[in-house]
Amino acid sequence: MSKKPKFQTPSGMHDILPGDYVYFQRVEKVCQEVADFYRFERIETPIAEQAELFLRSIGDATDIVEKQMYSFKTRGGDFLVLRPEGTASVARAFIEHGMNNLPQPVKLWHFGPFFRYERPQADRYRQFWQAGFEVLGEQSPVIDAQIIQLVCNIFKKLKFDDLIIEVNSIGCRHCRSYYKKLLVSYLKSRETSLCSDCRGRLKKNPLRVLDCKEEKCQRIYSQAPQMVDHLCDDCKSHFKQVLDFLDEIELPYNLNPYLVRGLDYYTKTVFEVHRRSKEGEPTLTLAGGGRYDGLIKLLGGKDTPGCGVACGIERIVSFMKEKPLKVSKHNTSKIFLAQLGSLAKKKSLVLVEKLREADIPVIEMLNKDTLKVQLSRANKMGVKYCLILGQKEALDSKIIVRDMESGGQKIIDADNIVKEIKKSLKKS
Ligand code: HAM
C-alpha cells in the first residue's frame, strides 16, 4: 500500500484541481449571466470579519455560531472570524458604504469561499464556495418570488431537473414571539422525549427544534402548532402574495411548515431548493435563502428590508458531474505551432506572442525538440492547421503552414503569418 503524503489538505477542505475547475468556472459564468440579466452588481467582501458581526446577525444560539466558526485573535488584538456566510458581510458593506443613499433596491451578488467547522461528510465541507444574491431596500413580496426564480434559472441554465422548492414563512418579530411561546409550551410537555440537543434548543432557540433530523424529535414536532397558522395580518398577506407570484410564474413548490433555516436573521419568507432523491424525497440542499427585514437595523444601519439566496457550488458541481454534461476543458484552438532547432525555438516565442496579440489561440510544445512528437500531438488534438518552423525557415524568416485535413502545405513570409492565418480560418 502506498504511504500517505506527509502534507495533505486540512480535514474538510479540498483542492479544486483543473478537472473540477472547469465546472466551477461554468457555474460562475452562469451565475454572472443570470446576475447581469437581473441587474445585480458584483461585490467581494473580505474573507475575515469581526466576530461580533456574525454573533449579532446569525444569532448566538445557532449551530454556526456555537460550533462552526473559525475564530482567531490577531496580533493587534482584534477578534476575527473566517466568514461562515455572505449575507452579514454584504449587510455590513451596505451600511459601511452608505448604500442606503443609492437608488433602492441595491442588488449585489458574490462568488467565493466560506468556512464552517462542520463534521466533514459527502458534500459538506469546512471550506466551500457559495454564490450569493442579495436585494437590499425593497420589501415587496415580488422580490422574494424573483429571488426564488433567479436561483431556479441558474439551475435551469445548468440543465438540472429533479428539484424541489420548499417554502415557509417564519413571520416577523411580533408574530414569531407569540408563536414561540405556543411552541415552547407544546414542547415542554414532551421535553423528556426530545433528544439532548433539542432539550438545550428548547431553552435557547426553540424554533431550531423544528430543524432536528432525529426521528423521535420529528415525531413530536410533526404534531406541534405551525407558524403559518399564527402569522400576523401583514406577514400572512406577504406570504400569500409570494405564493401567488410563484403560481403566476409556474414554479412548483412545497409548503414546508417546519422549514426554519439555521440563521436567526430571517423574517417572513424562507425557502430552500433541494435535489429530489430516487424515491422522490428532498435530499441535498443546493440553495437556501429568505427575507431578512431586520438585519441592517440590527447591525446599526437604517431600517432597510432585504431578501436573498446563496447556492453551494461544490454541491452544484457534484450534481453536474453525475450527468453527462459537456464542459470544454480548453479554448478550442485550431492552430498548432511546431518548431525544430534553437533559432526556431527562439523565433517561436515571438510568434506565439504575435498570435496571442491577434487573439488567435495557438497550442505549442516549446519544451519539445523533436518534430515527430510535436506533429503527433497536433494530430491527436485535431487542429486545422500546423505551423512548422524548422531551421531553414527560421533562417529565411519563412514558415510552413500545413492543412492537417488535406495534408497540403505552403510556405509563407513569417511577417504575414497573422494575416494568412486569419484568412485561412475565415475560409474554413
Ligand atoms: P445556507 O443555507 O447556510 O445559507 O447556505 C447556502 C448553501 O450553501 C446551502 O444550501 C448549501 O448548498 C451550501 N452550503 C452550506 N454549508 C455548506 C457546507 N458545509 N459544505 C458545502 N456546501 C454548503 C446562507 O449561507 C445564507 N447566507 C443564504 C442567504 C443569502 N440568505 C439570504 N441571503
Side-chain angles (χ1 to χ4, degrees):
M1 223 163 59
S2 65
K3 229 174 93 189
K4 275 191 176 174
K6 182 168 176 192
F7 295 110
Q8 295 173 36
T9 48
S11 179
M13 301 194 178
H14 64 103
D15 297 313
I16 306 173
L17 297 174
D20 274 355
Y21 207 80
V22 285
Y23 289 92
F24 272 69
Q25 279 177 312
R26 171 81 186 272
V27 181
E28 187 176 6
K29 187 166 170 274
V30 165
C31 288
Q32 176 78 64
E33 284 165 9
V34 171
D36 286 346
F37 179 82
Y38 289 99
R39 309 190 74 77
F40 279 72
E41 290 183 296
R42 182 118 177 205
I43 182 169
E44 288 305 333
T45 56
I47 293 283
E49 297 268 4
Q50 284 171 7
E52 179 67 17
L53 175 70
F54 298 115
L55 298 184
R56 274 217 203 177
S57 54
I58 297 175
D60 52 9
T62 57
D63 279 357
I64 296 183
V65 167
E66 278 188 337
K67 306 181 197 158
Q68 299 174 351
M69 296 216 296
Y70 280 89
S71 46
F72 57 99
K73 213 168 179 177
T74 66
R75 286 167 196 268
D78 291 330
F79 189 37
L80 301 187
V81 162
L82 295 184
R83 57 184 191 179
E85 63 100 46
T87 310
S89 302
V90 170
R92 192 259 315 130
F94 180 90
I95 301 166
E96 186 173 339
H97 303 289
M99 292 190 211
N100 58 318
N101 296 317
L102 299 174
Q104 306 286 301
V106 174
K107 296 174 162 189
L108 300 169
W109 83 283
H110 57 83
F111 191 95
F114 292 85
F115 304 83
R116 293 183 195 173
Y117 194 82
E118 302 223 46
R119 197 161 55 83
Q121 45 187 296
D123 294 311
R124 192 172 289 284
Y125 299 94
R126 288 182 176 169
Q127 177 179 341
F128 57 95
W129 288 60
Q130 278 188 348
F133 298 81
E134 313 290 355
V135 178
L136 300 133
E138 179 54 65
Q139 61 183 6
S140 166
V142 76
I143 298 293
D144 312 29
Q146 258 196 326
I147 282 280
I148 299 174
Q149 187 181 34
L150 173 155
V151 78
C152 288
N153 282 342
I154 291 177
F155 297 142
K156 213 188 260 174
K157 271 184 173 260
L158 291 168
K159 306 210 167 23
F160 288 5
D161 41 26
D162 304 330
L163 297 178
I164 299 180
I165 305 166
E166 302 215 307
V167 266
N168 190 22
S169 173
I170 55 166
C172 61
R173 224 161 19 102
H174 306 293
C175 51
R176 200 180 321 152
S177 75
Y178 171 70
Y179 170 71
K180 264 188 198 169
K181 280 187 197 143
L182 282 180
L183 182 66
V184 168
S185 116
Y186 168 84
L187 293 173
K188 271 249 162 86
S189 59
R190 291 148 181 92
E191 190 170 353
T192 48
S193 311
L194 291 171
C195 72
S196 63
D197 274 355
C198 280
R199 286 201 292 274
R201 287 176 187 134
L202 188 52
K203 290 190 191 76
K204 290 192 278 181
N205 199 342
L207 281 186
R208 285 273 85 70
V209 174
L210 303 180
D211 222 8
C212 183
K213 303 289 176 274
E214 293 265 342
E215 211 175 294
K216 59 179 177 180
C217 299
Q218 285 183 345
R219 263 200 307 273
I220 292 174
Y221 71 63
S222 66
Q223 306 293 319
Q226 298 185 352
M227 183 70 231
V228 278
D229 296 329
H230 299 281
L231 295 173
C232 63
D233 287 348
D234 179 39
C235 291
K236 203 185 284 172
S237 146
H238 185 98
F239 193 41
K240 187 179 173 304
Q241 290 179 70
V242 173
L243 300 183
D244 283 348
F245 286 128
L246 292 178
D247 290 337
E248 193 60 36
I249 53 180
E250 294 180 5
L251 268 186
Y253 55 84
N254 289 348
L255 282 178
N256 177 352
Y258 308 113
L259 181 68
V260 286
R261 313 258 308 126
L263 306 122
D264 276 0
Y265 50 62
Y266 289 116
T267 51
K268 298 183 175 169
T269 319
V270 287
F271 65 90
E272 285 181 350
V273 183
H274 299 263
R275 289 187 59 182
R276 195 189 296 273
S277 72
K278 287 196 183 74
E279 296 75 41
E281 294 301 315
T283 54
L284 200 61
T285 315
L286 294 176
R291 181 159 280 284
Y292 45 89
D293 289 347
L295 180 60
I296 304 267
K297 192 163 178 216
L298 187 74
L299 296 177
K302 284 199 177 142
D303 203 358
T304 308
C307 186
V309 63
C311 37
I313 309 303
E314 280 82 358
R315 293 180 184 187
I316 292 176
V317 166
S318 100
F319 198 3
M320 283 164 86
K321 286 166 83 175
E322 272 177 23
K323 299 193 172 191
L325 192 91
K326 256 192 163 167
V327 178
S328 75
K329 269 192 159 183
H330 294 286
N331 277 354
T332 40
S333 174
K334 293 186 174 150
I335 312 288
F336 192 98
L337 170 65
Q339 39 71 41
L340 184 68
S342 55
L343 181 63
K345 203 187 280 282
K346 273 189 207 158
K347 289 204 163 184
S348 292
L349 269 178
V350 179
L351 188 60
V352 169
E353 195 51 21
K354 236 182 178 176
L355 292 168
R356 191 192 62 76
E357 279 170 6
D359 267 341
I360 303 174
V362 56
I363 307 166
E364 41 73 15
M365 294 174 80
L366 296 184
N367 54 322
K368 297 288 179 212
D369 294 327
T370 66
L371 214 46
K372 196 170 156 210
V373 172
Q374 296 178 69
L375 293 179
S376 109
R377 175 59 71 88
N379 250 325
K380 270 195 199 134
M381 299 202 79
V383 293
K384 183 89 184 72
Y385 297 102
C386 186
L387 313 179
I388 305 169
L389 194 56
Q391 307 188 42
K392 183 167 181 329
E393 290 78 29
L395 279 173
D396 296 348
S397 294
K398 300 276 183 196
I399 194 155
I400 300 170
V401 180
R402 180 184 292 179
D403 184 322
M404 297 297 276
E405 265 167 39
S406 68
Q409 55 184 48
K410 58 183 175 184
I411 301 177
I412 60 165
D413 285 339
D415 286 346
N416 289 340
I417 189 71
V418 167
K419 213 167 85 196
E420 284 287 336
I421 289 292
K422 276 193 171 164
K423 209 162 71 188
S424 308
L425 287 176
K426 218 177 207 172
K427 267 194 256 159
S428 63

